[in-house]
Amino acid sequence: MKKIFSSLILSLACTCAIAANAPELYIVPQPQSVTMAKGSFKVKGANFNYDTSLSQQTVLAVGKLAQDLYICTGRANSIASAVGVSADTPIAKLKGFFFLKDSSLPAEAYTIEVGPKAAKVCAGDHNGMIYALATLRQMMPEAIFADKTNDEVSWTIPCCTIKDKPYFAYRGIQLDCARHFFTVEQVKRYLDIAALYKINRFHWHLTEDQGWRIEIKKYPRLTEVGAFREGTQIGTDRSTSDHKRYGGYYTQEQIREVVDYAAGLGITVIPELDLPGHMLAAMASYPWLGCTGGPYQVWHRWGISDQVLCIGKEETFKFLEDVLDEICELFPSEYIHIGGDECPKKMWQQCPACQARIAQLGLKDGDGVTKEQRLQNYVTARMQNYLTGKGRKIIGWDEILEGELAMGATVMSWRGTKAGIKASAMGYDVIMTPTDCCYLDYKQGQRPEDLSGASYPRKVDYNAKKLYTFDFFESMTPEAQKHILGVQGNMWTEYIEAESDLYYMLMPRLQALSEVDWCGPECLDYGRFEASMQKKQFRILDVLGYNYRKYLAE
Ligand code: ACM
Ligand code: ZN
């Protein structure tokens, strides 16, 4: 009886299949299954062999590891196509690295088998191989992250078998490039570190009251006028301005460059066109977009503006559809984020055109929903219809759930998890990004370095441990849980301007997020995560030269 019971426990433990000795590798996110074996494989000078059925993009990523090994070990790794070898070939017959296609593996999954003479790495798609490469890098001495030769370390990886796949399909990180602008090179670096931790969605916040950051050919004033503000509030005082011109934008060519670069890293870029609020920069460029006709100014201060798009005018919709046409050309993503957050209704209450639209649509107050709120539902529905016609799906902040929302929309739950729990029970897909732990602009603690200006001033103690241990599924039924696509970290940048501050705010919360998304709730283990961070990951960040927070908790 005792024996049966213990084997039952074993099989339950194996549903997340993390072997007891797995932390020895200190990989983040922790792979699903790791089995250690005796011995090690010498990677210095090892041949690289790749399956010719891998995509060119995948082979490039494999080649990048060979190149980095050459730089770091001082010995070249030759690269050749793998002839007469498949994912089924026993490792005992192999010598060197083999990167092989295994179409039987699910999306984003990979396996790594390391023996004394070979490492066999298999994946069914580009992302799977990208994650295998990230894992391999983390298995190597951290000197692999330096771009110089290091003769002092042992260039080997331990013999083991890893079988891995993600829990959540959507593993997201956001960056607000509107409040403060980050260059293409800076955005690429942000993506690089996200990719090392197997993040696969980049939510790019490109439009705001304080700046419009994406070139739209049909509306050149969006970047001529909307991309620049004539000042920024000083510190937290919203009545001030430094009167210094500030701004920048991405040309369409640069946007394509970022989208391609991200794809190489296994990351899909999801653009956000935040509407109908947060549109002052567009309204400063084209004042007819507002209820009063302006004039408007690209905002100097943070907060929520009463000035929002006029929904009474058909020209507003023509504008939005034209902009979405260009956005869809630039971003192949299945999802387009249409914002929907923080849209005050004051102007609509006063605007004859908006009120005429409300009357024409027969919208009424009732069931705790105002007619102006229903007008916002109308905007969401029109945008959703338009994008559905272009083969896309919408994501919106959780305000889109107030009133009525058509099925097929995905709700980004930011004001806590309540909206996400409600939406998932109603059958909507949900991305969890509650302020309670996923707002990466909130301070991580009260240490002197946390208390610098580079973070949201009033919020403290939003540390990596809090994110790691947060219950995203509170009282959710298993059926509702199936609608949770994943968890996302949001990096709003009102108080973040310098790139080094960005990384201090990002890490180590990025690593905690990566385990939340990759491992899923049953396989999280804070003690194991802490050990992986202390024993390996912080050292990797040191070699990479990042400014990061050295503490996971207080
Ligand atoms: C938000 O933080 N306004 C989505
Ligand atoms: Zn109006």
Side-chain angles (χ1 to χ4, degrees):
M1 179 64 198
K2 194 159 180 264
K3 202 151 183 248
I4 293 169
F5 187 64
S6 61
S7 71
L8 180 68
I9 296 214
L10 196 70
S11 73
L12 283 178
C14 286
T15 55
C16 77
I18 290 171
N21 56 357
E24 266 183 49
L25 293 176
Y26 305 121
I27 289 164
V28 169
Q30 172 69 31
Q32 274 226 341
S33 159
V34 179
T35 310
M36 302 305 294
K38 283 213 177 77
S40 60
F41 167 58
K42 205 170 130 199
V43 298
K44 182 171 177 169
N47 301 330
F48 272 56
N49 304 276
Y50 66 89
D51 201 322
T52 49
S53 64
L54 296 177
S55 72
Q56 197 187 1
Q57 198 179 36
T58 307
V59 174
L60 272 175
V62 169
K64 174 84 173 65
L65 179 62
Q67 186 188 11
D68 289 349
L69 265 175
Y70 177 17
I71 293 167
C72 296
T73 64
R75 174 100 64 89
N77 301 76
S78 65
I79 306 188
S81 53
V83 183
V85 174
S86 74
D88 296 331
T89 309
I91 192 165
K93 295 202 169 155
L94 305 177
K95 194 159 181 294
F97 275 109
F98 283 79
F99 296 90
L100 305 168
K101 178 128 180 165
D102 182 350
S103 303
S104 72
L105 289 172
E108 301 199 301
Y110 69 92
T111 60
I112 298 175
E113 201 181 340
V114 183
K117 296 261 177 318
K120 187 168 89 166
V121 183
C122 299
D125 60 11
H126 176 68
N127 277 31
M129 195 58 86
I130 288 289
Y131 303 142
L133 290 165
T135 295
L136 278 174
R137 280 177 192 271
Q138 291 194 13
M139 288 165 73
M140 292 179 191
E142 52 268 21
I144 188 65
F145 292 96
D147 48 8
K148 58 175 193 282
T149 307
N150 187 325
D151 294 325
E152 278 156 33
V153 298
S154 163
W155 285 104
T156 59
I157 53 175
C159 293
C160 64
T161 302
I162 296 177
K163 294 181 181 156
D164 201 11
K165 65 179 165 57
Y167 184 85
F168 285 119
Y170 185 112
R171 305 181 299 281
I173 197 89
Q174 178 257 25
L175 181 61
D176 169 10
C177 289
R179 268 53 173 267
H180 281 108
F181 179 71
F182 294 90
T183 64
V184 166
E185 291 314 312
Q186 289 172 330
V187 171
K188 285 183 180 173
R189 283 197 283 272
Y190 191 73
L191 294 174
D192 285 340
I193 194 69
L196 181 62
Y197 293 99
K198 304 186 174 93
I199 295 294
N200 70 350
R201 296 288 186 279
F202 173 48
H203 168 177
W204 203 359
H205 189 74
L206 287 164
T207 65
E208 257 305 337
D209 294 318
Q210 296 85 2
W212 182 282
R213 305 283 173 232
I214 174 170
E215 179 190 25
I216 300 294
K217 304 263 192 213
K218 201 158 189 175
Y219 297 95
R221 284 176 62 82
L222 287 172
T223 40
E224 286 163 11
V225 175
F228 299 91
R229 57 179 181 256
E230 298 304 324
T232 303
Q233 77 172 55
I234 301 165
T236 56
D237 187 345
R238 290 183 173 174
S239 68
T240 58
S241 171
D242 63 10
H243 300 291
K244 289 187 194 141
R245 185 172 165 82
Y246 178 90
Y249 66 92
Y250 308 103
T251 63
Q252 294 204 347
E253 201 178 325
Q254 288 175 318
I255 295 273
R256 284 199 182 91
E257 185 184 331
V258 170
V259 168
D260 288 350
Y261 185 83
L265 297 172
I267 297 175
T268 303
V269 185
I270 299 176
E272 181 182 355
L273 174 68
D274 200 350
L275 64 96
H278 291 278
M279 269 283 171
L280 252 181
M283 290 155 67
S285 313
Y286 296 99
W288 46 262
L289 285 168
C291 289
T292 64
Y296 305 105
Q297 191 186 41
V298 183
W299 231 16
H300 294 205
R301 49 158 293 199
W302 318 133
I304 303 170
S305 172
D306 283 334
Q307 301 297 339
V308 301
L309 292 179
C310 180
I311 300 310
K313 298 180 206 160
E314 206 43 35
E315 295 90 316
T316 303
F317 288 96
K318 173 81 173 81
F319 168 83
L320 291 174
E321 289 170 6
D322 287 342
V323 170
L324 285 172
D325 285 348
E326 293 194 30
I327 283 183
C328 288
E329 278 294 311
L330 292 166
F331 296 92
S333 162
E334 174 187 18
Y335 292 103
I336 304 292
H337 200 307
I338 61 161
D341 60 322
E342 300 175 326
C343 177
K345 307 295 186 291
K346 187 169 147 191
M347 299 312 295
W348 294 354
Q349 285 162 352
Q350 296 166 6
C351 170
C354 285
Q355 288 300 316
R357 173 83 77 182
I358 284 172
Q360 176 214 346
L361 294 169
L363 305 180
K364 301 263 178 326
D365 293 337
D367 300 328
V369 183
T370 66
K371 54 191 190 314
E372 284 77 20
Q373 176 53 45
R374 295 191 196 281
L375 189 61
Q376 183 167 348
N377 296 154
Y378 169 75
V379 182
T380 306
R382 271 192 71 167
M383 294 299 99
Q384 186 175 5
N385 273 341
Y386 191 71
L387 285 166
T388 304
K390 294 171 87 69
R392 309 301 179 100
K393 294 185 188 167
I394 63 159
I395 301 176
W397 298 110
D398 61 43
E399 284 91 336
I400 65 168
L401 198 62
E402 292 164 4
E404 277 170 28
L405 177 65
M407 293 315 292
T410 295
V411 175
M412 199 166 252
S413 188
W414 72 279
R415 295 174 299 179
T417 52
K418 225 166 48 206
I421 291 168
K422 181 175 164 199
S424 57
M426 292 165 79
Y428 297 100
D429 283 345
V430 167
I431 297 154
M432 285 293 192
T433 181
T435 51
D436 311 67
C437 63
C438 288
Y439 268 42
L440 308 180
D441 55 328
Y442 290 5
K443 288 182 201 301
Q444 299 174 77
Q446 306 211 46
R447 294 172 181 274
E449 56 272 39
D450 293 320
L451 297 172
S452 75
S455 54
Y456 200 88
R458 284 176 285 115
K459 308 281 186 174
V460 292
D461 297 337
Y462 292 76
N463 54 53
K465 183 175 184 183
K466 185 169 182 170
L467 172 49
Y468 197 97
T469 54
F470 190 82
D471 181 2
F472 291 93
F473 306 100
E474 205 185 329
S475 63
M476 222 183 246
T477 64
E479 196 48 44
Q481 273 195 38
K482 286 190 198 142
H483 285 290
I484 306 299
L485 302 183
V487 179
Q488 175 174 293
N490 290 340
M491 187 69 81
W492 299 105
T493 59
E494 286 95 329
Y495 298 98
I496 303 172
E497 184 172 4
E499 193 181 8
S500 62
D501 291 336
L502 188 65
Y503 289 112
Y504 185 85
M505 300 309 287
L506 183 66
M507 297 188 286
R509 289 184 287 194
L510 169 67
Q511 287 77 3
L513 174 74
S514 102
E515 289 224 343
V516 166
D517 269 325
W518 188 271
C519 303
E522 276 116 58
C523 295
L524 291 176
D525 177 338
Y526 182 73
R528 180 198 68 217
F529 172 68
E530 192 176 28
S532 299
M533 293 305 296
Q534 303 293 359
K535 299 255 168 59
K536 182 91 191 188
Q537 301 300 324
F538 284 145
R539 280 158 38 186
I540 292 176
L541 298 181
D542 288 337
V543 173
L544 285 169
Y546 282 107
N547 178 32
Y548 66 91
R549 188 176 195 261
K550 309 229 169 349
Y551 307 92
L552 296 165
E554 299 78 39

